[in-house]
Amino acid sequence: MSNANVKQYIAELLMPAIGGEIKEQAVMDLLEYPPDPQMGDLSLPCFKLSKTMRKAPQAIAEQLRQVIATGGLIARTEAVSGYLNFYFDKGRFAKAVLQDVLFGKKPYGSNELGRGKNVVIDYSSPNIAKPFHIGHLRSTVIGNALANIFRFSGYKVTGVNHLGDWGTQFGKLIVAYMRWGSEAQVKAEGVGELLRLYVKFHDEAEKDPSLEDEAREWFVRLEKNDERALKLWRWFIDISMREFGKIYDLLGVTFDSYAGESFYNDKMDTVIAELAEKGLLEEDQGAMLVRLDDYGMPPALMLKKDGGSLYHTRDVAAAIYRKQTYDFDQCIYVTDYAQNLHFQQWFKIVELMGYPWADKLVHVAFGRVSLEGVRLATRKGNVVMLEDLLKQAIAKTREIIESKNPHLPNKDEVARQVGVGAVIFNDLSMNRIKDIAFSWDEALNFDGETGPYVQYTHARACSVLRKAESDGELVIAHEAIAVEQLQDAEAQRVLKELYLFPERVEMAMRKYEPSVISRYLIDLSQSFNRFYHERPILLADQPVRTARLALVKAVQTVLKTGLNLIGLETPEKI
Ligand code: ARG
């Protein structure tokens, strides 16, 4: 066996004996990891095979047992109560895993499932002149992690920031700015001042409804490319992007495209015409909508009375454009679950338009984040509070470092990596659909299930390796690793976690769930820390020392890869 993909190896051996229509992947999916190692390292429940093989599960387990040769990686097998259990040879298992992690041809954990395929991921997507809120932060963090995970799975990824840069609100903002705003004020206060103007518009319009007409007029001018209107609009975008950019810089997140809603302005008529031609459009009091009663959904408004397009219309136009431009295998949208209906509606519309790729549109919804005990500056104007949150996380981490490790070099840099890492990891710590709370004590706890904990574990592994290196023990050649020295329970536990990494990457990708990786990293860190505390590494005699160092190196490699996948940096000293 050339690599550690034991499931595949076993499935291949079993296929001929199972017969019938069952695919190799299906057999691999049947294999499970028994919770108790007494019951084997891997186990095949034979109950589902009963139907096709027309035998009792126990008889199947016994029959299949015959085709598995033992003496190699699989030391022994047992057929018990309808399960076929496999017990690994511990030394060979260690050898196979370390070979893959340390000396494999491709980065360990990566796969080729997406080879030749494109995926578009629409994430972050804040609104111009509006606050970048905690939901946008979570979208940014999840979207960025997914982009990395898909890339690691061989896909060509295009990350799109679908900026909310169009709509009647810009007419209002222009009016408000011209009446009550000043260039200096906007320059000084940024998005905060734009928001204040927008709010003021609404207050004033209550007293004087003619302002609404004025705003509509200005929006029409904007739509007709009036120079003055365009200039202001561009400036609002500029002001906003400069602030959003600070958050992206802190997070280390980038995009391949910033084509926002306005990008589709000239593509709207075609969509409306196509909807009409396909008999999907219905007039309702001068507006145009698509009825979705047959699918248990309210109608989707596509064209306003005044001819303006809507969020739905823009999303349909954007999807068609993206299909043409990127020929995506999947187009993924990362937003708060409050937008579930919006996506269900327009995905259905694309389907009704007859596009066969409608089922390649994926809404990756996530839950809300509440900020428990977090005080953000209420300083007027600072509505991009997330920058404040990140900065506070950095400052608090800086304090922790100062008290725990005052002689650390690059304290500021490390504080940034760990502070930001804490916020990111918190966002990914649970299934994305769950609502989560952010609290300083939890997010920054170096002993909890946090980003800092995993980063610290990684730094610990680095430190062991550094010391070994300064003793002259450098890269460990595969043959030199005395794998039979890694049979103890702690080392075996670590090896099993390492073995699981590729499966977890694949699962995170299939489920659009970066938390699969964050939780995996916690498990790996915990098993490594147990090993570290129970087993001497640098003080062990040879050949144990080299074998254990190889294991440390493997853990360090996988922690680094995993953290980077979900968007965290990996300082070597903390
Ligand atoms: N701008 C929207 C908001 O802040 C999110 C856009 C999500 N992407 C999309 N293609 N609809 O709620």
Side-chain angles (χ1 to χ4, degrees):
M1 210 184 60
S2 64
N3 64 27
N5 197 337
V6 193
K7 281 192 178 179
Q8 190 176 354
Y9 169 72
I10 292 177
E12 273 167 21
L13 291 178
L14 292 176
M15 289 291 288
I18 292 176
E21 303 276 274
I22 296 179
K23 297 236 164 36
E24 188 177 304
Q25 184 63 46
V27 180
M28 283 171 69
D29 291 345
L30 276 181
L31 287 163
E32 52 187 44
Y33 300 103
D36 174 1
Q38 294 295 321
M39 288 146 69
D41 297 302
L42 256 183
S43 175
L44 181 79
C46 300
F47 309 96
K48 286 195 185 142
L49 299 172
S50 220
K51 234 191 192 156
T52 46
M53 295 181 71
R54 295 163 195 266
K55 269 190 194 173
Q58 178 59 17
I60 296 173
E62 275 159 24
Q63 182 196 332
L64 294 179
R65 187 170 172 226
Q66 308 302 319
V67 306
I68 302 288
T70 51
L73 177 75
I74 294 164
R76 95 194 142 82
T77 54
E78 252 172 32
V80 194
S81 333
Y83 287 87
L84 176 54
N85 299 334
F86 303 86
Y87 296 82
F88 298 162
D89 176 282
K90 292 185 167 65
R92 286 201 164 88
F93 178 62
K95 188 173 170 152
V97 172
L98 293 177
Q99 159 71 38
D100 272 11
V101 181
L102 299 175
F103 309 101
K105 281 199 200 75
K106 54 182 179 57
Y108 183 64
S110 66
N111 65 69
E112 306 259 292
L113 290 163
R115 205 210 310 227
K117 292 184 192 153
N118 301 311
V119 43
V120 174
I121 309 185
D122 174 322
Y123 62 107
S124 196
S125 309
N127 302 317
I128 297 302
K130 296 261 180 75
F132 189 108
H133 56 66
I134 191 91
H136 294 125
L137 182 75
R138 201 166 184 207
S139 171
T140 311
V141 164
I142 295 175
N144 180 55
L146 289 178
N148 292 338
I149 293 166
F150 273 83
R151 247 176 243 124
F152 204 51
S153 303
Y155 286 86
K156 169 144 186 11
V157 176
T158 305
V160 184
N161 195 337
H162 188 76
L163 296 168
D165 61 359
W166 200 250
T168 45
Q169 73 267 28
F170 288 98
K172 297 176 186 175
L173 194 57
I174 291 175
V175 170
Y177 173 72
M178 292 196 311
R179 285 185 174 245
W180 311 294
S182 86
E183 191 177 332
Q185 189 85 354
V186 172
K187 277 195 174 147
E189 306 263 357
V191 174
E193 172 64 6
L194 296 180
L195 190 70
R196 188 191 68 83
L197 289 169
Y198 187 65
V199 171
K200 180 154 174 86
F201 177 91
H202 284 273
D203 294 345
E204 297 291 331
E206 272 190 16
K207 292 174 244 160
D208 176 7
S210 79
L211 283 171
E212 296 279 2
D213 296 325
E214 205 180 308
R216 253 190 296 276
E217 260 167 49
W218 271 100
F219 185 59
V220 171
R221 281 192 212 173
L222 186 58
E223 283 184 306
K224 294 196 169 138
N225 294 331
D226 172 277
E227 241 343 287
R228 238 170 104 208
L230 272 181
K231 215 175 141 201
L232 282 172
W233 171 73
R234 282 200 203 103
W235 185 51
F236 297 151
I237 295 182
D238 214 48
I239 295 276
S240 308
M241 286 314 291
R242 225 173 292 159
E243 285 188 37
F244 301 162
K246 288 187 198 158
I247 297 177
Y248 297 140
D249 285 349
L250 280 171
L251 293 172
V253 167
T254 56
F255 300 89
D256 301 294
S257 159
Y258 287 88
E261 296 194 33
S262 70
F263 180 78
Y264 302 97
N265 284 346
D266 62 354
K267 298 167 181 65
M268 230 44 81
D269 292 350
T270 343
V271 172
I272 295 293
E274 195 179 326
L275 285 166
E277 186 196 314
K278 292 181 171 162
L280 295 167
L281 228 44
E282 194 175 298
E283 200 194 310
D284 186 69
Q285 301 171 12
M288 292 292 191
L289 48 79
V290 177
R291 286 218 178 277
L292 297 165
D293 308 52
D294 290 353
Y295 314 98
M297 289 187 275
L301 201 56
M302 303 305 278
L303 201 62
K304 284 190 287 188
K305 251 205 323 252
D306 63 14
S309 62
L310 290 114
Y311 189 36
H312 280 112
T313 335
R314 297 176 180 284
D315 262 329
V316 172
I320 294 172
Y321 172 83
R322 289 172 188 175
K323 183 65 197 173
Q324 284 165 355
T325 311
Y326 305 112
D327 189 25
F328 58 72
D329 182 60
Q330 295 185 56
C331 186
I332 297 167
Y333 299 82
V334 188
T335 81
D336 180 334
Y337 57 56
Q339 297 197 33
N340 281 358
L341 178 63
H342 167 75
F343 285 99
Q344 280 160 13
Q345 284 178 310
W346 78 258
F347 286 3
K348 183 50 93 181
I349 292 173
V350 172
E351 184 191 323
L352 294 173
M353 289 171 92
Y355 287 112
W357 45 266
D359 62 349
K360 306 291 190 195
L361 302 169
V362 185
H363 181 214
V364 168
F366 57 80
R368 300 267 163 91
V369 189
S370 58
L371 294 171
E372 279 175 12
V374 176
R375 283 182 152 215
L376 295 172
T378 47
R379 184 159 53 84
K380 195 176 66 186
N382 189 3
V383 291
V384 183
M385 299 176 299
L386 276 311
E387 192 195 342
D388 198 32
L389 176 81
L390 292 170
K391 285 195 167 151
Q392 283 188 51
I394 297 168
K396 284 179 196 274
T397 307
R398 183 78 169 73
E399 279 166 30
I400 298 174
I401 293 177
E402 201 60 64
S403 72
K404 287 196 173 172
N405 192 3
H407 302 298
L408 179 77
N410 309 326
K411 275 184 270 194
D412 288 328
E413 172 72 352
V414 176
R416 184 188 62 75
Q417 295 172 314
V418 177
V420 170
V423 175
I424 296 178
F425 200 93
N426 185 76
D427 259 354
L428 302 176
S429 58
M430 275 195 263
N431 280 356
R432 58 183 156 77
I433 205 65
K434 293 226 171 96
D435 290 338
I436 53 173
F438 181 89
S439 91
W440 291 118
D441 290 347
E442 271 172 46
L444 296 180
N445 183 353
F446 277 69
D447 297 317
E449 300 188 353
T450 63
Y453 170 69
V454 181
Q455 284 171 317
Y456 184 72
T457 306
H458 170 265
R460 164 174 282 167
C462 288
S463 144
V464 174
L465 295 170
R466 248 190 333 265
K467 282 184 198 134
E469 216 166 289
S470 69
D471 293 353
E473 183 155 14
L474 254 142
V475 191
I476 313 124
H478 197 212
E479 302 68 41
I481 305 170
V483 287
E484 64 290 346
Q485 301 299 335
L486 298 172
Q487 306 227 7
D488 58 274
E490 291 80 19
Q492 285 288 313
R493 183 73 240 164
V494 173
L495 286 160
K496 275 194 187 152
E497 292 296 344
L498 291 172
Y499 168 77
L500 285 175
F501 185 54
E503 270 181 38
R504 294 295 157 83
V505 171
E506 192 179 325
M507 191 194 286
M509 196 258 304
R510 290 192 196 279
K511 295 185 167 175
Y512 312 100
E513 189 62 86
S515 68
V516 168
I517 304 221
S518 50
R519 280 204 301 255
Y520 167 79
L521 292 172
I522 296 287
D523 291 343
L524 176 59
S525 299
Q526 287 175 344
S527 68
F528 173 72
N529 284 321
R530 215 168 299 134
F531 169 77
Y532 176 87
H533 289 300
E534 296 295 325
R535 303 283 157 188
I537 301 168
L538 294 165
L539 294 178
D541 293 328
Q542 292 295 16
V544 180
R545 178 180 148 121
T546 310
R548 289 190 179 153
L549 279 171
L551 191 61
V552 176
K553 178 73 191 154
V555 169
Q556 185 263 327
T557 306
V558 174
L559 286 178
K560 184 175 169 73
T561 308
L563 283 168
N564 292 342
L565 274 183
I566 57 171
L568 275 80
E569 292 182 45
T570 43
E572 294 187 356
K573 290 185 187 174
I574 293 184

